[in-house]
Amino acid sequence: MTPLDIIFSLIMLGAIVLVGLSLFFESKTDIASVPTLPWVQKKMIETLKKKFKDDESCEIAELGSGWGTLVFGLAKAFPNSSVYGYEMSPIAYHTSVLLNKFFGDEKRIQLFKDDFFEIDLSQMDVVIFYLSGRHALRLKDKLERELKPGTVVMSNSFPIPGWKPSAVAKTKVLMELSVYVYVLIYMRI
């Protein structure tokens, strides 16, 4: 076996272990770590830019930030804003922290290994997620209870059951996908 064969074998073994651990954790949380597609990310940012100016300061949270790709895109698009990523999967979380250290903006991007069902969202101006309808339904009461009027909520691909979107941004590359945009106009007391 050559040194190159050994290196390749170690890389493959590492990849298999990472995939296995990701699948194991996914089975425990019942939430898959699926990245936001680049063209959907672009549509989300374009849609947010209609509400917020480039130089405006706002607080943006991504619930289930995974590997951090959307968090990094949001921080780049809104240079005066703070972006918070919440991720429960240890592999995705630690990968995003490492990527942020080398390629991100540690002053404006804050990443947390937290259960987003347990965190306080009351100070956020924007909340973004890519969750199934079942998980969005579970999150709905929390959003209604905690978010202030005017908060923008964006859901990738799945509408929030019982809410009427203020806009639906569609993107079509290979297949049509929707981004559901909601602006909270009330809070539950």
PDB file of all heavy atoms in Angstrom, residues 10 20 25-26 31 38 51 54 86 100 138 142 147-148 156 158 183:
ATOM      1  N   LEU A  10      -7.839   6.795   4.725  1.00  0.00           N
ATOM      2  CA  LEU A  10      -8.170   7.548   5.941  1.00  0.00           C
ATOM      3  C   LEU A  10      -9.237   8.611   5.670  1.00  0.00           C
ATOM      4  O   LEU A  10     -10.152   8.808   6.471  1.00  0.00           O
ATOM      5  CB  LEU A  10      -6.913   8.179   6.536  1.00  0.00           C
ATOM      6  CG  LEU A  10      -5.935   7.215   7.193  1.00  0.00           C
ATOM      7  CD1 LEU A  10      -4.651   7.947   7.598  1.00  0.00           C
ATOM      8  CD2 LEU A  10      -6.573   6.527   8.387  1.00  0.00           C
ATOM      9  N   GLY A  20     -22.078   8.678   8.977  1.00  0.00           N
ATOM     10  CA  GLY A  20     -22.736   7.807   9.954  1.00  0.00           C
ATOM     11  C   GLY A  20     -23.173   8.561  11.194  1.00  0.00           C
ATOM     12  O   GLY A  20     -24.305   8.398  11.678  1.00  0.00           O
ATOM     13  N   PHE A  25     -27.358  11.185  14.488  1.00  0.00           N
ATOM     14  CA  PHE A  25     -27.906  12.352  15.176  1.00  0.00           C
ATOM     15  C   PHE A  25     -29.232  12.767  14.567  1.00  0.00           C
ATOM     16  O   PHE A  25     -30.160  13.164  15.262  1.00  0.00           O
ATOM     17  CB  PHE A  25     -26.914  13.525  15.152  1.00  0.00           C
ATOM     18  CG  PHE A  25     -27.298  14.598  16.109  1.00  0.00           C
ATOM     19  CD1 PHE A  25     -27.066  14.448  17.462  1.00  0.00           C
ATOM     20  CD2 PHE A  25     -27.944  15.732  15.666  1.00  0.00           C
ATOM     21  CE1 PHE A  25     -27.460  15.426  18.358  1.00  0.00           C
ATOM     22  CE2 PHE A  25     -28.338  16.710  16.541  1.00  0.00           C
ATOM     23  CZ  PHE A  25     -28.093  16.558  17.894  1.00  0.00           C
ATOM     24  N   GLU A  26     -29.335  12.671  13.249  1.00  0.00           N
ATOM     25  CA  GLU A  26     -30.578  12.995  12.547  1.00  0.00           C
ATOM     26  C   GLU A  26     -31.717  12.110  13.048  1.00  0.00           C
ATOM     27  O   GLU A  26     -32.846  12.571  13.242  1.00  0.00           O
ATOM     28  CB  GLU A  26     -30.354  12.784  11.058  1.00  0.00           C
ATOM     29  CG  GLU A  26     -31.390  13.350  10.158  1.00  0.00           C
ATOM     30  CD  GLU A  26     -30.974  13.160   8.709  1.00  0.00           C
ATOM     31  OE1 GLU A  26     -29.951  13.717   8.304  1.00  0.00           O
ATOM     32  OE2 GLU A  26     -31.696  12.436   7.997  1.00  0.00           O
ATOM     33  N   ILE A  31     -34.781  15.689  12.615  1.00  0.00           N
ATOM     34  CA  ILE A  31     -34.626  16.818  11.698  1.00  0.00           C
ATOM     35  C   ILE A  31     -33.380  16.568  10.858  1.00  0.00           C
ATOM     36  O   ILE A  31     -32.290  16.392  11.396  1.00  0.00           O
ATOM     37  CB  ILE A  31     -34.504  18.165  12.446  1.00  0.00           C
ATOM     38  CG1 ILE A  31     -35.765  18.443  13.260  1.00  0.00           C
ATOM     39  CG2 ILE A  31     -34.235  19.301  11.468  1.00  0.00           C
ATOM     40  CD1 ILE A  31     -35.695  19.685  14.128  1.00  0.00           C
ATOM     41  N   PRO A  38     -28.207  26.968  -3.290  1.00  0.00           N
ATOM     42  CA  PRO A  38     -27.681  28.306  -3.583  1.00  0.00           C
ATOM     43  C   PRO A  38     -28.698  29.240  -4.232  1.00  0.00           C
ATOM     44  O   PRO A  38     -28.764  30.419  -3.880  1.00  0.00           O
ATOM     45  CB  PRO A  38     -26.503  28.029  -4.522  1.00  0.00           C
ATOM     46  CG  PRO A  38     -26.097  26.628  -4.240  1.00  0.00           C
ATOM     47  CD  PRO A  38     -27.342  25.909  -3.831  1.00  0.00           C
ATOM     48  N   LYS A  51     -37.113  44.388   2.054  1.00  0.00           N
ATOM     49  CA  LYS A  51     -37.607  44.862   3.351  1.00  0.00           C
ATOM     50  C   LYS A  51     -36.546  45.653   4.113  1.00  0.00           C
ATOM     51  O   LYS A  51     -36.851  46.614   4.789  1.00  0.00           O
ATOM     52  CB  LYS A  51     -38.068  43.656   4.170  1.00  0.00           C
ATOM     53  CG  LYS A  51     -38.397  43.942   5.597  1.00  0.00           C
ATOM     54  CD  LYS A  51     -39.873  43.961   5.852  1.00  0.00           C
ATOM     55  CE  LYS A  51     -40.173  44.098   7.321  1.00  0.00           C
ATOM     56  NZ  LYS A  51     -40.765  45.340   7.675  1.00  0.00           N
ATOM     57  N   ASP A  54     -29.369  47.624   2.613  1.00  0.00           N
ATOM     58  CA  ASP A  54     -28.043  47.034   2.814  1.00  0.00           C
ATOM     59  C   ASP A  54     -27.346  47.562   4.065  1.00  0.00           C
ATOM     60  O   ASP A  54     -26.662  46.820   4.759  1.00  0.00           O
ATOM     61  CB  ASP A  54     -27.135  47.315   1.606  1.00  0.00           C
ATOM     62  CG  ASP A  54     -27.562  46.535   0.374  1.00  0.00           C
ATOM     63  OD1 ASP A  54     -28.397  45.626   0.503  1.00  0.00           O
ATOM     64  OD2 ASP A  54     -27.060  46.851  -0.712  1.00  0.00           O
ATOM     65  N   TYR A  86     -28.383  28.715  14.886  1.00  0.00           N
ATOM     66  CA  TYR A  86     -28.665  27.742  15.946  1.00  0.00           C
ATOM     67  C   TYR A  86     -28.731  26.358  15.333  1.00  0.00           C
ATOM     68  O   TYR A  86     -29.524  26.113  14.427  1.00  0.00           O
ATOM     69  CB  TYR A  86     -29.986  28.076  16.646  1.00  0.00           C
ATOM     70  CG  TYR A  86     -29.953  29.420  17.311  1.00  0.00           C
ATOM     71  CD1 TYR A  86     -30.391  30.558  16.640  1.00  0.00           C
ATOM     72  CD2 TYR A  86     -29.449  29.568  18.600  1.00  0.00           C
ATOM     73  CE1 TYR A  86     -30.340  31.805  17.241  1.00  0.00           C
ATOM     74  CE2 TYR A  86     -29.393  30.815  19.210  1.00  0.00           C
ATOM     75  CZ  TYR A  86     -29.841  31.928  18.525  1.00  0.00           C
ATOM     76  OH  TYR A  86     -29.785  33.166  19.113  1.00  0.00           O
ATOM     77  N   ASN A 100     -16.533  29.482   9.979  1.00  0.00           N
ATOM     78  CA  ASN A 100     -16.665  30.887  10.380  1.00  0.00           C
ATOM     79  C   ASN A 100     -15.317  31.454  10.823  1.00  0.00           C
ATOM     80  O   ASN A 100     -14.989  32.599  10.520  1.00  0.00           O
ATOM     81  CB  ASN A 100     -17.699  31.026  11.500  1.00  0.00           C
ATOM     82  CG  ASN A 100     -18.082  32.465  11.763  1.00  0.00           C
ATOM     83  OD1 ASN A 100     -18.110  33.296  10.851  1.00  0.00           O
ATOM     84  ND2 ASN A 100     -18.384  32.762  13.004  1.00  0.00           N
ATOM     85  N   ARG A 138     -44.932  22.923  15.001  1.00  0.00           N
ATOM     86  CA  ARG A 138     -44.454  22.912  16.392  1.00  0.00           C
ATOM     87  C   ARG A 138     -43.821  24.258  16.768  1.00  0.00           C
ATOM     88  O   ARG A 138     -43.961  24.727  17.898  1.00  0.00           O
ATOM     89  CB  ARG A 138     -43.443  21.778  16.559  1.00  0.00           C
ATOM     90  CG  ARG A 138     -42.962  21.628  17.954  1.00  0.00           C
ATOM     91  CD  ARG A 138     -42.091  20.405  18.125  1.00  0.00           C
ATOM     92  NE  ARG A 138     -41.377  20.517  19.383  1.00  0.00           N
ATOM     93  CZ  ARG A 138     -40.156  20.094  19.580  1.00  0.00           C
ATOM     94  NH1 ARG A 138     -39.506  19.474  18.608  1.00  0.00           N
ATOM     95  NH2 ARG A 138     -39.569  20.251  20.741  1.00  0.00           N
ATOM     96  N   LYS A 142     -44.421  29.101  19.354  1.00  0.00           N
ATOM     97  CA  LYS A 142     -43.261  29.811  19.915  1.00  0.00           C
ATOM     98  C   LYS A 142     -43.052  31.153  19.203  1.00  0.00           C
ATOM     99  O   LYS A 142     -42.842  32.181  19.833  1.00  0.00           O
ATOM    100  CB  LYS A 142     -42.007  28.940  19.794  1.00  0.00           C
ATOM    101  CG  LYS A 142     -40.724  29.618  20.246  1.00  0.00           C
ATOM    102  CD  LYS A 142     -39.550  28.696  20.058  1.00  0.00           C
ATOM    103  CE  LYS A 142     -38.251  29.320  20.483  1.00  0.00           C
ATOM    104  NZ  LYS A 142     -38.193  29.776  21.849  1.00  0.00           N
ATOM    105  N   LEU A 147     -42.125  36.566  19.111  1.00  0.00           N
ATOM    106  CA  LEU A 147     -41.672  37.579  18.158  1.00  0.00           C
ATOM    107  C   LEU A 147     -42.483  38.859  18.257  1.00  0.00           C
ATOM    108  O   LEU A 147     -43.688  38.836  18.496  1.00  0.00           O
ATOM    109  CB  LEU A 147     -41.723  37.028  16.727  1.00  0.00           C
ATOM    110  CG  LEU A 147     -40.814  35.826  16.456  1.00  0.00           C
ATOM    111  CD1 LEU A 147     -40.964  35.375  15.017  1.00  0.00           C
ATOM    112  CD2 LEU A 147     -39.364  36.126  16.785  1.00  0.00           C
ATOM    113  N   LYS A 148     -41.799  39.971  18.030  1.00  0.00           N
ATOM    114  CA  LYS A 148     -42.461  41.278  18.077  1.00  0.00           C
ATOM    115  C   LYS A 148     -43.151  41.559  16.742  1.00  0.00           C
ATOM    116  O   LYS A 148     -42.761  40.986  15.706  1.00  0.00           O
ATOM    117  CB  LYS A 148     -41.437  42.356  18.411  1.00  0.00           C
ATOM    118  CG  LYS A 148     -40.282  42.448  17.424  1.00  0.00           C
ATOM    119  CD  LYS A 148     -39.179  43.375  17.928  1.00  0.00           C
ATOM    120  CE  LYS A 148     -38.045  43.390  16.939  1.00  0.00           C
ATOM    121  NZ  LYS A 148     -36.792  42.977  17.432  1.00  0.00           N
ATOM    122  N   ASN A 156     -38.303  28.076   4.198  1.00  0.00           N
ATOM    123  CA  ASN A 156     -37.830  27.500   2.939  1.00  0.00           C
ATOM    124  C   ASN A 156     -38.662  26.265   2.604  1.00  0.00           C
ATOM    125  O   ASN A 156     -38.647  25.284   3.341  1.00  0.00           O
ATOM    126  CB  ASN A 156     -36.354  27.143   3.091  1.00  0.00           C
ATOM    127  CG  ASN A 156     -35.743  26.573   1.841  1.00  0.00           C
ATOM    128  OD1 ASN A 156     -36.412  26.295   0.864  1.00  0.00           O
ATOM    129  ND2 ASN A 156     -34.445  26.380   1.883  1.00  0.00           N
ATOM    130  N   PHE A 158     -41.573  25.016   2.871  1.00  0.00           N
ATOM    131  CA  PHE A 158     -42.759  24.547   3.573  1.00  0.00           C
ATOM    132  C   PHE A 158     -43.508  25.721   4.203  1.00  0.00           C
ATOM    133  O   PHE A 158     -42.916  26.487   4.972  1.00  0.00           O
ATOM    134  CB  PHE A 158     -42.377  23.551   4.671  1.00  0.00           C
ATOM    135  CG  PHE A 158     -41.689  22.325   4.142  1.00  0.00           C
ATOM    136  CD1 PHE A 158     -40.313  22.239   4.130  1.00  0.00           C
ATOM    137  CD2 PHE A 158     -42.432  21.266   3.645  1.00  0.00           C
ATOM    138  CE1 PHE A 158     -39.666  21.111   3.637  1.00  0.00           C
ATOM    139  CE2 PHE A 158     -41.799  20.130   3.148  1.00  0.00           C
ATOM    140  CZ  PHE A 158     -40.420  20.052   3.139  1.00  0.00           C
ATOM    141  N   VAL A 183     -44.892  38.401   7.756  1.00  0.00           N
ATOM    142  CA  VAL A 183     -44.554  39.538   8.593  1.00  0.00           C
ATOM    143  C   VAL A 183     -45.543  39.529   9.742  1.00  0.00           C
ATOM    144  O   VAL A 183     -46.763  39.650   9.520  1.00  0.00           O
ATOM    145  CB  VAL A 183     -44.622  40.876   7.823  1.00  0.00           C
ATOM    146  CG1 VAL A 183     -44.298  42.034   8.757  1.00  0.00           C
ATOM    147  CG2 VAL A 183     -43.658  40.859   6.643  1.00  0.00           C
TER     148      VAL A 183
END
